[in-house]
Amino acid sequence: MAAARRKVAHATRLGLVLGALFPPAIAAQHPPVLEGQVLDRMSGAPVPGARVTALGAAHGAVTDARGAFTLRGLDPGTVILEVRAPGYRSLTLTVEARNGQVSSARAELSPAPVQVAGLRVEAGPDGTTDAVVLERAELDALGSADLAVALQQVPGVVVTRRGGPGSPASLSIRGGSGDQALVLFDGVPVNAPLTGGVDLSTISLDAVERITVLTGVQSARFGPRALSGVVLIDGRGAGGGETRAAASTGSWGSQRVALGLGGGTDGASGPRVSGRISGAWRRTDGNFGYAVPDVRGGGAAIRLNADARTVTASGSGRLLAGDAEVRVLGDLLDVDRGMPGPVTSPTPTARQVQRRVMGTAAATVTAGPRWSVSLDGQRQEVRFADPAPPAGSPYAETTVARGAGSAVTVSDSAGVLAVEGGIEGRLLDISSSTLVEGAPADQRSLGAWFAATGRTGVGEGWSASVSGALRVDGHTALSGAELSPRLAASLSGDRWTLRASVGSGFSPPSPADQYFQEGVLVRPNPALEPERVKGEVVLGADLELLTTRSLSIDGTLDLYRADVEDMILWFPDHRFVWSPDNFDVRRRGWEAGVDLAVAPARSRLRIAAARSSVEYATGFLTGQVAYRPEWTANVSLASSLSSWSGELSGRYVGTRRTVPGSALNALGPYWLWDIRTGLLWRLAGWAMEGRLSVLNVLGAEAAMIPDYPLPGRAWGLELSINPNP
């Protein structure tokens, strides 16, 4: 961008000198006029208050309430326009300005994606929804990773992994439980049907194009389980026709092979058809060494039965014909891994097998109001077995869930107003040997929502947005209909945005909490109430602290209060029998981040910190809820030079309580630091890229939860090939 500015500025100065010597009479009499409109790419709504500048010249304009702008007095020829608006990624357009003519331009702005800094962007019809977006470029830099590795970089998100690579990993957003975060893969929920949580390790990044993390209660749009946030995963769509192959190796016998093939027609003489297929195979022996805590006897040991094998495959197709689009996507997962258990009671023969098949088809028409109809289906199967457990009898448990869903969405905009509404139905059939006899065999839900957003310019360079959303849901786990409202507003200037929102949501109890097969020291609770957040309040600010040609500093701050009524937590009674119950919890916190970019050095420093206070509100329990760290932080320093790139990143996890209502036996804080570096070169017209990573470079001894140690220092080497970059 800086180079483009300099080139255009030099050309403009040269044109002024020549114009003074040889006055162009015709151009002076009939200068070009450029008219255009700036729209939100996601909703199609106009973007008022956007600044449109002809680079290298003194010409600029601010869009009105219709997103329209007019530029006059331009020099004839090629004009480079820069379009900027608070909350959006800047856009550069090249247009041709002709003497005596009125040219037109159309700019569609995308929410400003950020990698890990926690900067907030506007997404969807609710123009003030907080989001962090991880694009494909950031995911490629992570190499042979899974969803857990990507999400643990997002401020306010805590990933709990029970071991090394390939081991189960759960998600917590702003101190919420695992079943309070909804994860959608191309619109299909991948939350476990039995527990409501998500195993992040089962989602490979090979099939992912983009990850959007929406923090805070999102039930007004997404319904049940969107109590602490939503993770939206966009699969590798059929639009990208690249072919790519990758292979990697690393510590503990880790290996990976991935291949993606894509192609299609250009659509010059008819409908455009494209498609893509991809697959990946990963394995790890997982027998890593760890330091035995002093309370467990000290010394060193090997974590056995920690191997994992994962196979993924996906395919997508897209048909574009005029204003209509049809998309078909499918995804397959097969996981086979050991379950080593806690170090105090290892399980050398326990195994877990997961299989998931899901697909979705969607049709969209953009002429006039935007219509979208989608159908999806999935089948999940999970098997646990141990023929020789260290205690108790051998077991083999199986859960099979079959689900189907359908949604109809319509959106439109008129002037400064954008609206969206829809209806969604979902059916889930569950068969499990781990549930008590007589447990419900299916779950049914039906939801309808409506959202409206108004945007308008407020003075020179200012814009305001107000949005409201309401959803009503019926669910088999509820005694009646559940209403989830949300109201949000924002005010933006040229270099700042202030945000505020208030909303409510719910999460129904899971079948595992209500109907888990009662056994020794375990008892379910069928009388559980749904978890609810009423009146979550979020205040936020995004600031451009400094912007020059060589340096930019951005900052963000979010404050929230999101108390949970009837949070479901498992506790032992006086006989040490574990059972779930409802507890009121006070949940307060903040997230802050600073993003510093140095253009000449092509370097970027990101620092983010979060505090999430999740405390019992009952009379007999006090303090932080167990296993919720109050403090977390992320640091990333990335730089690139020519074809080389490198990054140093670190994440901090604060003290975690392990005993309900007590600070006894708390786990200490830790920092984990990773180094990743990459080199890009060309060979016979092919793009080749090599990546080297060293994880936990300082070899820190850490465990997110007791008796499940994380591995020490590890290395990985990856080579990827793209024959048609």
Side-chain angles (χ1 to χ4, degrees), residues 10 251 517:
H10 294 161
S251 299
Q517 194 174 80

Side-chain angles (χ1 to χ4, degrees), residues 46-390:
V47 179
R51 183 173 296 278
V52 183
T53 306
L55 296 185
H59 305 292
V62 176
T63 57
D64 59 18
R66 299 180 295 108
F69 67 90
T70 301
L71 290 175
R72 303 181 185 275
L74 297 172
D75 293 329
T78 300
V79 178
I80 299 177
L81 298 181
E82 183 184 52
V83 185
R84 296 172 60 89
Y88 291 93
R89 180 169 53 188
S90 62
L91 179 67
T92 301
L93 297 175
T94 301
V95 297
E96 194 70 21
R98 296 182 176 88
N99 269 334
Q101 296 184 20
V102 178
S103 303
S104 62
R106 176 187 174 99
E108 295 184 351
L109 297 183
S110 300
V114 294
Q115 182 178 2
V116 296
L119 296 179
R120 301 305 185 223
V121 302
E122 299 182 335
D126 182 353
T128 56
T129 296
D130 298 342
V132 173
V133 181
L134 304 177
E135 295 283 3
R136 183 67 237 173
E138 286 82 44
L139 302 181
D140 282 338
L142 297 176
S144 55
D146 54 28
L147 186 61
V149 176
L151 292 183
Q152 68 188 9
Q153 305 177 81
V154 179
V157 171
V158 174
V159 173
T160 299
R161 195 187 285 275
R162 292 169 174 81
S167 61
S170 58
L171 172 67
S172 173
I173 300 178
R174 290 183 172 177
S177 300
D179 62 348
Q180 296 174 357
L182 179 64
V183 180
L184 301 174
F185 194 112
D186 283 321
V188 182
V190 294
N191 294 62
L194 209 62
T195 64
V198 177
D199 184 356
L200 303 176
S201 70
T202 64
I203 302 177
S204 171
L205 296 184
D206 291 300
V208 176
E209 180 68 27
R210 181 184 300 102
I211 301 171
T212 304
V213 182
L214 307 176
T215 54
V217 60
Q218 304 293 334
S219 291
R221 172 58 183 87
F222 298 98
R225 302 228 174 278
L227 199 63
S228 62
V230 175
V231 179
L232 305 175
I233 303 171
D234 295 330
R236 297 297 297 272
E242 85 278 9
T243 296
R244 187 173 187 268
S248 63
T249 186
S251 299
W252 315 306
S254 298
Q255 297 176 343
R256 166 180 167 266
V257 177
L259 177 64
L261 302 172
T265 64
D266 57 12
S269 59
R272 179 179 178 182
V273 180
S274 57
R276 191 176 195 277
I277 58 174
S278 63
W281 171 85
R282 291 186 299 160
R283 68 174 294 273
T284 178
D285 294 337
N287 295 334
F288 60 88
Y290 68 95
V292 180
D294 292 338
V295 296
R296 304 302 187 196
I302 300 296
R303 193 79 161 124
L304 301 176
N305 194 33
D307 63 294
R309 176 195 58 79
T310 303
V311 177
T312 60
S314 63
S316 60
R318 184 171 68 168
L319 170 65
L320 286 172
D323 296 321
E325 177 186 12
V326 177
R327 299 174 68 239
V328 179
L329 304 104
D331 189 77
L332 179 146
L333 164 78
D334 188 289
V335 177
D336 186 344
R337 60 188 171 194
M339 303 296 287
V343 297
T344 55
S345 182
T347 56
T349 56
R351 306 293 298 180
Q352 181 199 57
V353 175
Q354 287 193 57
R355 293 190 176 96
R356 182 176 66 230
V357 179
M358 61 184 184
T360 180
T364 303
V365 178
T366 58
R370 178 186 177 95
W371 286 84
S372 178
V373 179
S374 65
L375 297 171
D376 65 74
Q378 65 170 309
R379 183 184 187 274
Q380 297 189 43
E381 179 180 355
V382 182
R383 298 202 306 266
F384 292 92
D386 192 344

